[in-house]
Structure formats: structure tokens, C-alpha cells
Amino acid sequence: MATKRSLATKLGVVAGFEDPQVALEQYPTPPDLAAHVVHLADLHGDVDGRTVLDLGAGTGMFALAAALRGPARVVGVELDRDALTTARANERRVAASAPVHWVQADATRAPVRFPDPVTVVMNPPFGAQDGNRNADRAFLATASEVAAVSYSVHNAGSRGFVESFAADNDGEVTHAFAAEFPVDAQFDHHEDASRDLDVEVYRIEWGG
């Protein structure tokens, strides 16, 4: 198994959003965080030989991280066509050997299903924008429907919500850890050139 550091290095070529949309909370997932999460998933046997589904794939950071760790296939679901164009270009840059399929669809409507166990990896919108509250809830709902296990990134302070949602949907949080999510200024409401957001990552087993 390649090291977490080498995985992060390979992901350094993944380009972010050319024209990010504030309504979709399009912030690029940092390579180090994606590498950490996918490395953890691999250590738990949740990647190798499995179907990995990236919900709200953006420009493909999580999907391509998983594709470098020997899955049976990776599927990235993203609503934004421009982001998918960038994701396909990123796939060529990363040169992963596993097959990667990109689907333009609403990730909150379970657009694809598979007969074999599925691992979901995702960095859903945090619901920080007005009119977009609890956006991550819909992504967790999709994960609960299609996944055997999921890894998801949420705003700091989400533990009570995530654990309660999992318990109500035949799931269980098995691991959780805090992380930093560096964000560069890209929208008008950003006052700092960059800042580190405090986030939390959860591993949830679904289906009892």
C-alpha cells in the first residue's frame, strides 16, 4: 500500500473549480485531507476491490484519491457540468489505473445503485449559506440508501447531528476525527485571503 504522503503528493495535480458557485458551496477538498480519509478507508478494507461512490464529486479529489487505491470502480456524481469537465481532465493528470465513471446528476437523489457493497466518500456542502441549511443531511440520506459504509466531511460541531441521523437510519458512527480545511478567498463575502476551517470526518456503517 502506498503511503498517505505519496497519495497526497499524487493528488497535488488535481485542479479546483474554474468558476466556483457559492450556492453549491464549491470549495476544493485539500489533497492532504482527501489522502487522509481515503488512506483510513483503505486501512479498513473499504476501498480495495470495492465500488467507491463520490457524492458531490466536484472536480474529483475524493474520487481520484480512491481510484489510486485499487477499487473495482469509482463513480463520481456531480451536478455541475463544468466541474465534471475539470474532473475528467484531472483523471488524465492523475492517471489512475482503476476505472472512473463520471455522472452528471443530483447526488441527493441516489442516481446510481450497485448490487455489490458500496463505499461512499464525500465532502458535502456544509449548509453554511442562507437557503442551504442542513444541506449535508440530504447527502447522508443518499449514503444511507446506497452505501455499506461512508466517509464524510462536516462542519465542526456536527457530531450530535451525525450520530443522531445515523442512529435514525440504521447506521452507526464507528470513527470520527477533527481536521483542518484550508480555504482560499474565492467569493465576495470572504474577507481573508485564506483561512482554516475546523471540520470533522465521520465513518458510518449502514444497514446494521
Side-chain angles (χ1 to χ4, degrees):
M1 180 189 298
T3 66
K4 180 173 64 176
R5 178 174 294 180
S6 67
L7 179 58
T9 299
K10 291 179 179 178
L11 294 173
V13 301
V14 174
F17 299 95
E18 291 189 11
D19 186 21
Q21 299 183 44
V22 65
L24 297 179
E25 296 188 41
Q26 290 181 326
Y27 299 99
T29 303
D32 287 345
L33 179 58
H36 189 144
V37 172
V38 170
H39 183 73
L40 177 65
D42 204 6
L43 289 175
H44 281 87
D46 296 329
V47 177
D48 187 32
R50 300 282 290 269
T51 292
V52 179
L53 180 61
D54 182 357
L55 297 175
T59 64
M61 184 67 78
F62 264 135
L64 296 173
L68 290 166
R69 283 298 181 91
R73 68 188 64 82
V74 176
V75 179
V77 179
E78 170 58 44
L79 186 62
D80 183 3
R81 182 183 296 275
D82 290 340
L84 282 179
T85 298
T86 303
R88 292 187 179 97
N90 284 332
E91 181 186 354
R92 293 190 290 272
R93 294 187 184 99
V94 168
S97 57
V100 182
H101 310 280
W102 304 103
V103 179
Q104 184 183 9
D106 183 349
T108 67
R109 297 181 182 274
V112 288
R113 294 181 183 273
F114 302 92
D116 50 325
V118 170
T119 296
V120 162
V121 290
M122 60 181 178
N123 173 25
F126 294 162
Q129 301 301 317
D130 290 340
N132 203 30
R133 300 297 180 188
N134 301 318
D136 50 354
R137 177 186 296 273
F139 280 74
L140 282 175
T142 300
S144 73
E145 295 171 9
V146 303
V149 61
S150 67
Y151 294 79
S152 53
V153 183
H154 301 266
N155 210 357
S158 295
R159 183 159 194 146
F161 152 65
V162 173
E163 290 184 339
S164 176
F165 183 92
D168 289 343
N169 290 273
D170 201 20
E172 179 184 5
V173 173
T174 63
H175 297 76
F177 64 89
E180 288 188 345
F181 193 117
V183 173
D184 292 331
Q186 59 184 26
F187 299 122
D188 291 341
H189 66 273
H190 287 163
E191 298 179 354
D192 301 321
S194 64
R195 61 178 298 192
D196 289 337
L197 300 180
D198 293 325
V199 300
E200 296 164 352
V201 180
Y202 294 91
R203 179 183 186 270
I204 304 174
E205 292 182 355
W206 301 100

